[in-house]
Amino acid sequence: MTEKLRSQGVSYSEIDEDLAGQRLDNFLLTRLKGVPRSHIYQLIRSGQVRVNSGRTQPKYRLKAGDKVRVPPVRRRAPAAAPGTGEGLDWLAERIIFEDNRLLVVDKPAGLAVHGGSGLDFGLIEGLRSLRPASKTLELVHRLDRGTSGCILVAKKRSALRQLHALIREGAMTKRYLALVEGRWEHGVVEIDTPLRVGRDAGGGARVRPDAEGKPSISEFRLVEQFGPTASLVEVEIRTGRTHQIRVHAASAGHPVAGDDRYGSPPFNAAMEAVGLRRIFLHAHLIEFVWPESEEDFVISAPLPRELNEVLNRLVPPRRRKGR
């Protein structure tokens, strides 16, 4: 990316091949570190940001040779995640893999993957602050704010395109661990109920089974039984719909523990009594084969301590020895 500074603080950036294909809003979030996402959108929609001298939309995909006008903007440091107060060292420690194409973060529960909806700070903003020299840091996929575990972040546009292609083709395996209500007696079962996303009164996503919804496939298998009360299951998702695991589990009569949107209030209360303070959903494994090089890639993140402690309280400790 070449850049020429003009008077009054306006800058012009010329997009090179490495940045081609990136959305305008994501480019600006990287370029204008510390500026809230809501303000980025306001700059675009008001015409203060222009591409090739013309107005455009936040979702516009930049092309090599595009010239982006960036107005002067007052920046501020991103807020720390709730309960940290230690700068971003805590986030650096959550990076569990990194090479020249990709980094993988073991995302903690409670951290949004990006700012927005009243949040100025998210995982991707934190990573960009940690790596200010990186030209490209882009989320490959998303996790709900309450879900912990593996999330992929591309360091190159070429890697992002390859990984998105694998997801579209169903060639990336993503597995989760979830604690669900009751005794799971279905064995290995595939749930393919289509899902439709709507909005609740507060504007949040509300997903429901709907024959006219988008195809959605989740495969559930039992990992460990906790009497008649609860079951630990592994879920492999073949599609990546909003709240997919949570809605599919609830539709099977086994809502996820701690799910305050689709779950069972009595079950949630019982799990809270044994120390559960979040939704029990953890992205524990991602596996794929890199295109062209055909390298196998497998990454996993163990259950967080707070979730293991819940499981240990559900049964006598000796029964979980060695797990």
Side-chain angles (χ1 to χ4, degrees):
M1 178 180 67
T2 59
E3 184 175 285
K4 181 180 180 181
L5 296 179
R6 299 283 183 88
S7 61
Q8 291 86 44
V10 174
S11 66
Y12 292 80
S13 299
E14 184 171 341
I15 303 304
D16 59 23
E17 289 288 346
D18 194 48
L19 291 176
Q22 186 175 31
R23 282 175 51 135
L24 177 61
D25 54 354
N26 290 331
F27 166 76
L28 292 170
L29 285 165
T30 303
R31 178 79 172 75
L32 301 174
K33 291 183 172 69
V35 177
R37 180 179 290 265
S38 58
H39 190 53
I40 294 287
Y41 287 155
Q42 192 275 330
L43 291 172
I44 298 171
R45 289 166 178 154
S46 66
Q48 295 180 69
V49 171
R50 292 179 177 248
V51 178
N52 301 326
S53 301
R55 290 176 178 249
T56 188
Q57 300 296 315
K59 64 182 179 181
Y60 172 76
R61 297 278 178 181
L62 294 167
K63 302 179 180 63
D66 279 350
K67 292 181 175 58
V68 182
R69 177 191 187 275
V70 182
V73 180
R74 183 179 179 182
R75 296 172 174 81
R76 67 183 183 187
T84 59
E86 300 178 357
L88 291 171
D89 291 346
W90 64 273
L91 183 55
E93 293 172 358
R94 306 291 302 198
I95 298 173
I96 57 176
F97 172 85
E98 184 171 10
D99 64 10
N100 64 336
R101 297 171 292 189
L102 176 72
L103 61 82
V104 185
V105 178
D106 183 2
K107 186 187 84 66
L111 176 65
V113 295
H114 59 71
S117 300
L119 297 172
D120 291 343
F121 178 93
L123 172 70
I124 194 63
E125 289 83 7
L127 290 172
R128 288 166 179 163
S129 294
L130 273 177
R131 306 292 174 81
S134 296
K135 294 174 67 176
T136 300
L137 281 177
E138 295 292 339
L139 293 166
V140 176
H141 59 109
R142 300 177 188 274
L143 292 176
D144 289 344
R145 185 175 180 179
T147 303
S148 56
C150 297
I151 188 163
L152 307 181
V153 179
K155 296 175 65 177
K156 292 183 175 181
R157 296 297 304 173
S158 56
L160 183 65
R161 288 190 288 267
Q162 288 179 319
L163 294 169
H164 278 172
L166 291 175
I167 292 172
R168 287 195 303 271
E169 295 161 6
M172 180 181 292
T173 297
K174 290 189 282 186
R175 294 179 183 169
Y176 295 70
L177 292 171
L179 187 70
V180 300
E181 182 177 18
R183 183 184 293 276
W184 185 269
E185 296 180 332
H186 310 289
V188 177
V189 61
E190 182 179 280
I191 298 177
D192 59 0
T193 306
L195 302 176
R196 182 182 296 276
V197 180
R199 294 290 164 185
D200 60 22
R206 184 81 186 188
V207 181
R208 59 185 176 87
D210 189 322
E212 301 301 319
K214 291 184 178 180
S216 308
I217 304 173
S218 307
E219 183 179 275
F220 291 73
R221 60 179 63 85
L222 179 66
V223 175
E224 188 170 1
Q225 193 76 62
F226 298 92
T229 304
S231 304
L232 183 67
V233 295
E234 183 184 59
V235 190
E236 181 176 334
I237 58 172
R238 309 286 172 75
T239 54
R241 309 301 180 202
T242 300
H243 299 173
Q244 177 176 318
I245 293 173
R246 298 160 63 184
V247 179
H248 276 170
S251 72
H254 298 276
V256 177
D259 187 349
D260 58 5
R261 187 171 292 262
Y262 310 103
S264 161
F267 178 55
N268 288 346
M271 293 301 98
E272 186 175 352
V274 293
L276 185 63
R277 300 291 183 265
R278 47 162 289 197
I279 189 169
F280 199 121
L281 188 57
H282 177 73
H284 85 105
L285 181 142
I286 297 177
E287 181 176 6
F288 60 87
V289 176
W290 280 104
E292 300 177 1
S293 67
E294 297 187 351
E295 302 168 69
D296 290 328
F297 182 88
V298 183
I299 192 75
S300 63
L303 272 178
R305 182 178 61 184
E306 72 269 17
L307 297 186
N308 261 317
E309 288 175 350
V310 169
L311 298 182
N312 287 333
R313 293 186 187 107
L314 290 174
V315 294
R318 62 184 180 183
R319 284 186 52 192
R320 289 185 54 78
K321 186 176 180 181
R323 287 190 180 274

